[in-house]
Amino acid sequence: MSDAAPFLRAFLLAVISLLTGPFRLHAAGIDPYKLEEIQTLIAGSQFDEADRLMRAALIDAPNDVDLICLRGTVAVMRDELPQAEALFRESLQIRPKEDRFIMNLAEILYRQGKYQEAAPMYARISKRHPVRPLAQYKQILCFLLADDRATA
């Protein structure tokens, strides 16, 4: 891992906490003690065990979209982008208009070089939130990078 890996991991944990914090997950029916254990495992980089507990929790609540999204975020932290993509797609199937799920999937597609798939997702965010320059910027980058690859 690079020197930036500890910083990146801390940053991703902060994002997880903001986007899928304990109150949102508890409201979705997750046992708060189990959630605390999962978060502790994630903070300790024990991703396999955290994922095992999340999969077990999903047996009782298979459509808990926040937990599915959290699994996707952990997959990103493990650099398992295809698995993260599948989990973020699953999140969108359950809640297709949720902006954070659209953005998560767009970012994963972008990171995998799937620019033609990512561009429309960024466009969805830009259309609904015209003041979000990041989505507009990434959409333009996708068009440029996709075109660049087509001409290479």
Side-chain angles (χ1 to χ4, degrees):
M1 286 197 146
S2 72
D3 293 337
F7 169 77
L8 182 59
R9 180 167 287 127
F11 174 76
L12 286 171
L13 288 172
V15 170
I16 289 170
S17 185
L18 288 172
L19 294 179
T20 58
F23 299 110
R24 168 169 268 152
L25 289 174
H26 178 68
I30 304 270
D31 175 7
Y33 296 108
K34 191 61 68 180
L35 176 62
E36 185 176 331
E37 184 179 358
I38 290 167
Q39 289 176 328
T40 300
L41 290 167
I42 293 169
S45 300
Q46 297 179 31
F47 303 126
D48 290 337
E49 183 63 16
D51 191 58
R52 187 187 67 72
L53 290 177
M54 288 186 283
R55 282 184 283 123
L58 283 167
I59 291 171
D60 296 329
N63 290 326
D64 189 326
V65 70
D66 292 311
L67 194 54
I68 294 167
C69 185
L70 182 58
R71 281 193 69 218
T73 303
V74 169
V76 171
M77 295 171 75
R78 296 164 80 176
D79 202 31
E80 295 174 350
L81 300 184
Q83 181 183 3
E85 178 184 341
L87 290 163
F88 292 144
R89 284 187 190 279
E90 186 177 346
S91 298
L92 269 174
Q93 286 177 341
I94 297 168
R95 218 182 283 159
K97 294 183 180 181
E98 182 80 32
D99 289 339
R100 66 187 167 120
F101 301 153
I102 297 167
M103 192 68 169
N104 285 345
L105 182 56
E107 287 293 308
I108 292 304
L109 293 170
Y110 182 88
R111 284 183 61 182
Q112 293 180 95
K114 298 178 180 180
Y115 306 117
Q116 291 179 333
E117 282 186 77
M121 310 220 91
Y122 288 122
R124 284 173 65 184
I125 297 291
S126 296
K127 188 174 187 177
R128 292 210 309 244
H129 304 282
V131 295
R132 283 198 170 165
L134 176 63
Q136 293 170 345
Y137 171 73
K138 284 290 196 77
Q139 180 185 6
I140 292 167
L141 275 179
C142 285
F143 287 131
L144 292 173
L145 290 168
D147 185 51
D148 186 40
R149 287 195 171 188
T151 59

